[in-house]
Amino acid sequence: MNTKIFPLTLLILISILVIPFSGCERVKQTVTPPDGPSTVKIGVIQPSGVAISFSKGAQLAKAQRNESSGILGMKVEFLVRDNQGDLPRPDAAESVRLARELIEQEGVVAMLGPIFSSNSLKVGPVVTQLQRPMIPCSSGHTVTSVGGEFVFLVATPSSVQGRVLARLAFDETEVGAKTAATIRQTNDAYSESVATAFAENFQKLGGKIVATEVYQLGDKTFDTQLMKIKAADAEVIFAASFNPEVPLLIAQARSMDIEATFIGGNGWDEAERLLGTLTDNAPLEGAYFFRDFSAEAPNAAPFVQAYTAMFGVPPDGTAAWGYDAMSLLATAMENAGTLEPTAVRDALANITDYQGASAIAGYDAERHPLKSSAIHIIRDGQIELYKIFKP
């Protein structure tokens, strides 16, 4: 035997055997591909025509991360999907399809969005089944319990909003109401849950709910509902609504000489459409709504300045959620020291004393954020801070 040929033959055989195993290992390496610089892929489900400041806030947080050290030394990459198309609101079934696509085909390590609790309630079980942390732009208090252990809220849950707004309606000198009416959108998880929470808490305080009305998505007139509310002589109208229905509803109420104080949840908090639907915003004067972000808070100044510089307009609460959602994910990944989903989930649950667009003391057992509630009022056509309620 030629001893010079034998080592060469053995080396070739070893190479043939090793290549398939190396390929298997390469499939497992979802974080650090061997063929170039890696990125941290994060899926974003953002409707094209609603609450677009959510993904803008997230973009700002991503840009700041990438300008420094990224996450674990890797750049952040967003894979953005539109779940709305030509529809008036995002579609829950499409949200589920896109979530599966982003996780199973694109290999994202976490999810931001979707928007609206009705969508998040459907997507939550999917991300928990596939084990990917998700922070939606939603505040329905059942989103996390239905969605599972990989779902975390960044917005104050509807149960807390209802409690705080009931206190505002019943206890505050400027309002001090003893009777209230509620009006909400049908077939929407958030609208129903926050209206229910308000009514329950208002009655616990000693108030009386004198009318409970509903409207359909896309309605532009509310004659029947407002006539019933007017007849009931409610001092406060809790509008568990979204835009553009909110300004249209209030304007019509004022045209019917309804003088009740309007109060709303964070579904109002889309500044461009809240203040941009009517040609004259005088009917909105004196209306209150929930926003768990305050641009006036000193600690929020860096976010407000950076967002305004990047997009040319000041941020609203939806922008703050997007910024905080991305920043919380990045913090959890850094704290975990890995992108492994369970480790990131655990690190998210253990975050304390976070300060970004808003301040979050930590997460409770339901994966709801512990944060202050900033009630805002519309004065002279502008949104102003009225009062901060501590958690």
Side-chain angles (χ1 to χ4, degrees):
M1 177 184 294
N2 188 328
T3 57
K4 293 182 178 180
I5 295 175
F6 177 74
L8 179 60
T9 304
L10 182 60
L11 181 60
I12 292 171
L13 287 171
I14 292 172
S15 299
I16 292 171
L17 290 171
V18 167
I19 287 171
F21 290 102
S22 298
C24 290
E25 288 301 314
R26 191 172 293 121
V27 169
K28 294 178 182 178
Q29 292 176 3
T30 59
V31 175
T32 313
D35 54 352
S38 61
T39 60
V40 179
K41 290 185 178 181
I42 295 177
V44 182
I45 298 181
Q46 168 67 64
S48 53
V50 181
I52 58 175
S53 61
F54 177 74
S55 60
K56 289 182 177 179
Q59 288 170 28
L60 172 60
K62 180 190 78 167
Q64 290 177 340
R65 277 279 168 178
N66 285 343
E67 286 170 5
S68 56
S69 58
I71 297 176
L72 301 176
M74 295 173 281
K75 296 293 185 183
V76 181
E77 177 186 358
F78 279 176
L79 282 74
V80 183
R81 298 291 186 272
D82 173 24
N83 62 340
Q84 182 178 3
D86 296 328
L87 300 173
R89 286 285 193 274
D91 180 67
E94 178 67 358
S95 299
V96 169
R97 186 190 73 79
L98 292 172
R100 287 194 173 277
E101 173 189 298
L102 286 165
I103 295 169
E104 296 175 335
Q105 298 179 30
E106 300 291 351
V108 300
V109 297
M111 298 283 299
L112 299 178
I115 291 164
F116 292 111
S117 298
S118 297
N119 285 257
S120 301
L121 284 166
K122 298 295 184 182
V123 175
V126 174
V127 299
T128 293
Q129 175 197 9
L130 300 177
Q131 297 195 345
R132 292 296 188 276
M134 179 179 92
I135 305 180
C137 179
S138 307
S139 53
H141 70 271
T142 61
V143 166
T144 55
S145 57
V146 172
E149 60 184 350
F150 281 81
V151 182
F152 292 75
L153 294 188
V154 70
T156 302
S158 55
S159 53
V160 175
Q161 292 182 48
R163 184 171 69 246
V164 170
L165 290 165
R167 285 174 55 195
L168 169 74
F170 190 84
D171 291 337
E172 292 296 305
T173 303
E174 290 85 346
V175 185
K178 299 300 181 283
T179 60
T182 65
I183 182 167
R184 64 174 177 84
Q185 180 183 306
T186 59
N187 300 316
D188 182 82
Y190 165 76
S191 188
E192 181 176 356
S193 65
V194 75
T196 299
F198 172 84
E200 289 177 351
N201 283 279
F202 188 72
Q203 291 173 111
K204 285 179 183 178
L205 291 169
K208 183 179 180 181
I209 300 297
V210 295
T212 303
E213 297 297 320
V214 297
Y215 68 90
Q216 300 288 332
L217 169 65
D219 281 356
K220 293 181 172 58
T221 58
F222 310 89
D223 306 71
T224 302
Q225 300 95 323
L226 288 172
M227 285 175 65
K228 292 178 181 178
I229 291 172
K230 184 176 182 179
D233 198 24
E235 297 170 275
V236 160
I237 300 174
F238 182 76
S241 312
F242 305 97
N243 300 305
E245 288 86 359
V246 168
L248 294 175
L249 172 68
I250 298 176
Q252 188 170 359
R254 299 307 185 217
S255 72
M256 296 170 64
D257 297 323
I258 295 175
E259 298 180 357
T261 300
F262 272 88
I263 293 175
N266 64 14
W268 291 26
D269 197 4
E270 193 183 354
E272 285 188 31
R273 299 210 302 171
L274 177 63
L275 300 180
T277 297
L278 304 176
T279 54
D280 178 5
N281 284 323
L284 306 183
E285 190 74 9
Y288 299 83
F289 71 95
F290 190 101
R291 173 186 273 184
D292 46 7
F293 151 76
S294 173
E296 294 89 343
N299 289 338
F303 162 69
V304 174
Q305 293 166 5
Y307 185 93
T308 305
M310 189 171 192
F311 297 106
V313 294
D316 56 14
T318 308
W321 297 336
Y323 182 87
D324 286 339
M326 177 59 227
S327 298
L328 285 163
L329 266 182
T331 299
M333 290 171 178
E334 289 285 352
N335 290 348
T338 176
L339 301 184
E340 195 278 319
T342 302
V344 174
R345 177 204 63 194
D346 293 344
L348 262 174
N350 290 319
I351 286 177
T352 58
D353 300 323
Y354 164 83
Q355 178 61 59
S358 60
I360 295 176
Y363 276 96
D364 65 16
E366 296 179 278
R367 297 176 301 285
H368 294 164
L370 302 173
K371 58 196 302 189
S372 298
S373 305
I375 304 300
H376 284 66
I377 185 171
I378 299 175
R379 284 197 180 113
D380 300 323
Q382 301 297 318
I383 297 171
E384 296 181 5
L385 176 65
Y386 170 72
K387 184 174 182 178
I388 292 179
F389 289 83
K390 297 296 182 182

